[in-house]
Amino acid sequence: LSRANLSGANLSDADLTHANLNKANLSKANLSGACLDSATLSEANLSGANLEEADLGSVDLTLADLSGANLRDANLIDAKLTDAILTGAIMPDGTTHD
């Protein structure tokens, strides 16, 4: 699914464990409750995406755009967020990232 255009897609509760979503467009996608454990989302566009309660454990989000994304109650344990864009993102604890 590298470079796939899934903008606005409803992927709630989907199992995307180990998926390669490198440079994919997932802007405004609904990924609530999805399992993305150990997936590759480097340079992916997740702006405005709903990732509430998603499992993002060990996910590579290097250079991903998460601006305005909802990460409330998401699992980010061991997620790689190097140089990710988090402006306006709702973090797992409910706070908004500056």
Side-chain angles (χ1 to χ4, degrees), residues 58-62 76 78-82 84:
S58 301
V59 170
D60 182 358
L61 291 161
T62 302
L76 289 170
D78 295 326
K80 187 175 182 181
L81 292 159
T82 307

Side-chain angles (χ1 to χ4, degrees), residues 9-96:
N10 182 1
L11 299 167
S12 62
D13 298 317
D15 185 355
L16 297 166
T17 304
H18 297 289
N20 181 0
L21 292 158
N22 184 47
K23 297 184 181 178
N25 181 1
L26 292 155
S27 61
K28 298 183 182 174
N30 181 5
L31 292 152
S32 60
C35 182
L36 293 147
D37 185 47
S38 301
T40 300
L41 289 153
S42 57
E43 298 183 62
N45 180 357
L46 292 153
S47 60
N50 181 7
L51 294 152
E52 188 170 3
E53 296 181 1
D55 182 359
L56 300 165
S58 301
V59 170
D60 182 358
L61 291 161
T62 302
L63 295 168
D65 183 355
L66 292 154
S67 56
N70 179 6
L71 296 160
R72 185 182 293 268
D73 296 322
N75 171 21
L76 289 170
I77 294 173
D78 295 326
K80 187 175 182 181
L81 292 159
T82 307
D83 296 322
I85 300 166
L86 294 166
T87 307
I90 300 171
M91 302 309 288
D93 63 0
T95 60
T96 301

